[in-house]
Amino acid sequence: MKFSYPLISILRQCLLIVLLVCAFIVSALSQASSRIEEIHGVAYYIHDVTKGQTLYSISKLYQCEINDITAANPGSDNGLKEGTQIKIPAAKSRIKGASISNDPGRKFLMHEVQKKETLYSISGKYNIDMNDLIAANPGSDQGVKKGQTLRIPIKTEAPKEIPQDKFPHTVKPGETLYGISKQYHVTPDDIKNANPGLKDGLLAGEVILIPTNIGPEVKEDEGPAPLQPVKITGEIIEESYDIALMLPFYTNYKDTMETRENRMRDVALQMYRGALMAADSLEKEGLNATLRVYDAIDSKSMTNDVLAKPEMKEVDLLIGPIFRETFGDVCAWGAKEGVHVVSPVQQPNKVLLQSPNMSKTVPATATQWIGVARHVYSKHPKDNIIIIDSKNLDDRKAVDSFREEWKKLSGDSLKNIIVVADAASFNVKDKYAAGKKNIVIAPTSDKKVIATLFRVLGDGDIIVYGNESWDDLDAISVANRNKYHVHFPQTTFIDYDNPDVQRWIEAYRKQFKTEPGKYSFVGYDVMKFYGTGLLKYGRDFPNHLNEIKTKVYANGFDFMKTSNESGFENQFVMIIGTEEYSLIREK
């Protein structure tokens, strides 16, 4: 395989750069919102997204964890649009001079009066009537002083009524707009028109409205229409192919680098090296291709500059980028140019919408928990299943995915499933069944929840299933992992006892003089899989994804096209178990 990448000399220098850390600089133009509303019992800052803002910069502005922001704004992890509004959990924010009251009744924002502030300026800052401010703070009409704490009333959301000509539908994990429209015999546009905010895609667990006054008569024997193949324009088989790799090397980064940028660059270097080894292997197998490598950080302008390069019009396969802020732009470009785009890292299924010629190699969390449900049902169909519901939004989506898949497998029965939602104690032992295995399902990464759970599990025939992050979570002791036979889903698993893996690692060490990491294997497996597709099927490989057979070392591929207008999701999920203090891949 030939290589055409202007980065090669820079990348060599990149390996020698001393990693530096500096403070993230928030633009002086960015200001935190003073608008507070209570929605479904939770207080939020309502933030208007301005040009150039990202989840990271907003999290710094409000001193709020990114995960807390994305949990409050499903789909925001796929990028933010200028002019839209997002909710910032006020209780999770640490803005100077502001906090949320702990009163059991109505919620208030607690504001510390600053120098020269008056009731008038404070009421204007929070956009509330001064009389409401005085009513919440008796005596404040006599004046306020610096350091004094005032209660700021939080606006409460009015309940919404469902129109009579519509009815609610709760979106299940994996459902698409196309699939739901077929289920109710309406068009996707009918549903979009009934749900004005739906243009950005569906999210599992959200409630959408289905119009009832349109659509043809339902026929009992009418089944789902078969999915259409991806339309490939131009020549299918070519003498040579072009593959582009877009990864965040930060080669032109002139500022000192934060921990996050250093971590992303390390991921990029690992994937790049693994891809190079795969390229060498593919060349020996007969693939004639040019590999083009580009630096693609979380900058829309830099990404668009890469896409505008003349040689990009020759690209047949594009792997990357890995940032959600820019991935959507690349997908749109790929759809326009007829280039298959591959996401090699976790992305929400939302990116597949309107992108029939793209694929994501890491299954969504909901898909992973469908895989867990299938595994548990195959091993323990009659045993006692106890699900821990931490009440976290993302955790609840996983719980719903597990329950929905279990219902399908069991014939709509949940009779041996118990849900426990008391995060203080869980009362798990009260739910154990004598004479059966007790299977505890805990789809959470919350270290406090996990620590509480393992304190109360007790003794007995118990098997615990956690989520993907449990692979190296230090909140779980080695003793507990072994005692409770801890299991978790994985999309990448390195079996260091496998002789083939050991030989690959030796080859990697010899070529790059360093140890391979997880993303070294990802880079190799993804490049080898899609490169083999080009070798065997030419540019028509998207229509043969599940026919591509090649040797990979840490990943698996089992693709499903989500709908005619959407792309492919890899649904290959491995279940990793713990036996005799060792991790094993379950059959």
Side-chain angles (χ1 to χ4, degrees):
M1 180 179 287
K2 300 188 294 294
F3 300 93
S4 173
Y5 41 97
L7 294 175
I8 187 66
S9 59
I10 305 175
L11 286 173
R12 288 172 179 162
Q13 299 175 21
C14 198
L15 300 177
L16 302 176
I17 293 177
V18 178
L19 304 182
L20 302 174
V21 177
C22 75
F24 179 86
I25 302 175
V26 178
S27 169
L29 297 176
S30 298
Q31 293 184 354
S33 171
S34 298
R35 179 182 167 194
I36 303 286
E37 292 186 14
E38 184 177 0
I39 302 172
H40 300 312
V42 180
Y44 296 98
Y45 291 99
I46 306 301
H47 178 82
D48 293 306
V49 178
T50 58
K51 185 176 181 180
Q53 284 189 322
T54 64
L55 281 173
Y56 183 70
S57 65
I58 293 173
S59 73
K60 292 296 183 182
L61 184 62
Y62 287 90
Q63 292 297 297
C64 182
E65 294 291 334
I66 290 179
N67 287 341
D68 292 328
I69 297 177
T70 56
N73 302 273
S76 60
D77 50 2
N78 192 36
L80 301 177
K81 293 182 180 180
E82 179 184 359
T84 59
Q85 291 184 340
I86 62 172
K87 300 176 294 185
I88 311 297
K92 300 293 182 68
S93 303
R94 297 293 180 268
I95 296 178
K96 182 180 179 180
S99 61
I100 295 295
S101 70
N102 294 319
D103 294 349
R106 184 179 180 186
K107 291 184 175 62
F108 295 91
L109 177 72
M110 307 306 291
H111 174 82
E112 182 181 330
V113 179
Q114 304 298 308
K115 185 177 180 180
K116 296 185 178 181
E117 281 189 325
T118 64
L119 279 179
Y120 178 78
S121 65
I122 294 171
S123 64
K125 177 179 181 180
Y126 291 102
N127 194 27
I128 61 173
D129 188 277
M130 191 186 300
N131 291 328
D132 292 337
L133 181 59
I134 294 172
N137 299 274
S140 60
D141 55 339
Q142 302 301 314
V144 293
K145 297 179 180 180
K146 178 185 176 182
Q148 180 180 348
T149 300
L150 296 180
R151 301 198 304 175
I152 310 298
I154 296 174
K155 177 182 177 182
T156 303
E157 180 188 50
K160 298 179 180 179
E161 296 183 359
I162 298 176
Q164 292 184 350
D165 62 342
K166 299 177 180 65
F167 65 91
H169 170 88
T170 302
V171 178
K172 299 180 178 62
E175 281 192 320
T176 65
L177 189 60
Y178 179 81
I180 295 173
S181 70
K182 291 299 181 185
Q183 179 181 345
Y184 292 105
H185 298 274
V186 296
T187 69
D189 285 340
D190 291 333
I191 300 178
K192 287 180 181 179
N193 291 336
N195 301 270
L198 202 62
K199 59 184 178 181
D200 291 330
L202 295 175
L203 295 167
E206 73 174 321
V207 178
I208 62 175
L209 299 180
I210 307 297
T212 59
N213 57 350
I214 53 180
E217 182 181 355
V218 178
K219 298 179 181 178
E220 292 297 329
D221 58 347
E222 188 175 290
L227 295 179
Q228 299 300 311
V230 176
K231 183 179 180 180
I232 308 297
T233 58
E235 295 293 329
I236 299 297
I237 304 298
E238 299 179 350
E239 291 184 4
S240 65
Y241 301 95
D242 285 69
I243 303 173
L245 195 62
M246 294 179 67
L247 296 171
F249 297 104
Y250 291 94
T251 53
N252 295 320
Y253 206 73
K254 301 187 184 305
D255 298 321
T256 50
M257 294 179 63
E258 267 199 350
T259 302
R260 175 177 178 265
E261 281 97 26
N262 283 317
R263 186 173 66 251
M264 291 297 99
R265 184 170 64 179
D266 183 55
V267 168
L269 289 172
Q270 287 186 37
M271 292 183 67
Y272 168 72
R273 294 170 183 144
L276 285 185
M277 290 186 65
D280 291 339
S281 177
L282 288 165
E283 183 178 26
K284 293 175 183 176
E285 293 176 15
L287 179 65
N288 183 13
T290 297
L291 178 62
R292 305 182 187 277
V293 183
Y294 299 98
D295 191 4
I297 63 174
D298 53 344
S299 164
K300 288 181 175 288
S301 61
M302 179 180 287
T303 300
N304 290 332
D305 287 345
V306 171
L307 297 177
K309 291 179 180 294
E311 67 267 22
M312 290 298 289
K313 290 188 175 295
E314 305 300 321
V315 169
D316 302 295
L317 168 67
L318 191 156
I319 300 173
I322 66 177
F323 289 110
R324 295 176 184 178
E325 290 86 350
T326 56
F327 191 76
D329 293 339
V330 174
C331 289
W333 173 87
K336 179 181 177 182
E337 299 294 333
V339 176
H340 192 86
V341 177
V342 178
S343 169
V345 297
Q346 180 65 279
Q347 300 277 9
N349 273 5
K350 183 178 176 181
V351 302
L352 297 172
L353 295 171
Q354 307 301 321
S355 300
N357 197 14
M358 77 149 290
S359 53
K360 56 192 292 287
T361 63
V362 181
T365 299
T367 304
Q368 293 181 35
W369 279 93
I370 289 172
V372 173
R374 292 171 180 172
H375 175 83
V376 174
Y377 187 80
S378 69
K379 299 285 186 180
H380 312 282
K382 304 299 183 183
D383 286 324
N384 191 42
I385 312 297
I386 303 168
I387 300 178
I388 303 300
D389 184 358
S390 71
K391 299 185 179 180
N392 174 279
L393 179 63
D394 290 333
D395 297 350
R396 183 158 290 175
K397 290 178 183 177
V399 170
D400 291 343
S401 297
F402 183 95
R403 285 162 54 89
E404 289 299 322
E405 185 63 19
W406 189 279
K407 285 172 65 176
K408 293 179 184 177
L409 296 168
S410 64
D412 210 30
S413 173
L414 294 173
K415 63 181 181 180
N416 59 330
I417 288 186
I418 303 169
V419 178
V420 179
D422 180 5
S425 64
F426 291 124
N427 297 319
V428 177
K429 289 186 286 188
D430 295 343
K431 308 298 188 294
Y432 290 164
K436 292 184 177 181
K437 287 184 182 294
N438 293 289
I439 314 301
V440 179
I441 310 294
T444 182
S445 298
D446 189 315
K447 292 183 179 181
K448 292 182 179 179
V449 171
I450 293 169
T452 300
L453 173 64
F454 278 95
R455 280 200 303 269
V456 301
L457 281 174
D459 297 319
D461 198 352
I462 304 164
I463 300 175
V464 178
Y465 283 78
N467 69 14
E468 187 179 18
S469 69
W470 287 28
D471 182 17
D472 57 359
L473 199 65
D474 56 10
I476 309 173
S477 69
V478 174
N480 277 336
R481 287 179 182 273
N482 197 64
K483 178 179 179 179
Y484 297 111
H485 310 286
V486 169
H487 289 63
F488 47 85
Q490 282 287 282
T491 57
T492 300
F493 178 69
I494 305 167
D495 182 2
Y496 290 99
D497 294 327
N498 186 317
D500 289 337
V501 172
Q502 293 171 355
R503 284 189 288 269
W504 188 88
I505 292 174
E506 285 300 320
Y508 186 98
R509 289 170 178 163
K510 184 176 180 180
Q511 184 167 346
F512 300 111
K513 306 297 187 285
T514 187
E515 289 294 311
K518 168 186 173 180
Y519 290 99
S520 305
F521 285 89
V522 171
Y524 179 91
D525 288 356
V526 170
M527 177 64 76
K528 187 71 187 318
F529 178 82
Y530 286 94
T532 301
L534 276 173
L535 178 62
K536 292 184 176 180
Y537 302 103
R539 297 177 60 248
D540 192 43
F541 73 87
N543 292 313
H544 301 273
L545 287 177
N546 286 332
E547 301 168 47
I548 298 173
K549 306 300 179 185
T550 189
K551 187 172 187 177
V552 293
Y553 293 99
N555 299 268
F557 302 98
D558 179 15
F559 287 94
M560 181 192 78
K561 195 171 193 302
T562 52
S563 73
N564 278 329
E565 75 269 22
S566 302
F568 299 84
E569 182 192 20
N570 182 18
Q571 299 196 314
F572 188 89
V573 179
M574 294 174 275
I575 305 299
I576 309 303
T578 310
E579 293 294 340
E580 299 299 326
Y581 297 95
S582 297
L583 295 179
I584 59 170
R585 178 179 165 184
E586 296 275 343
K587 301 298 184 182

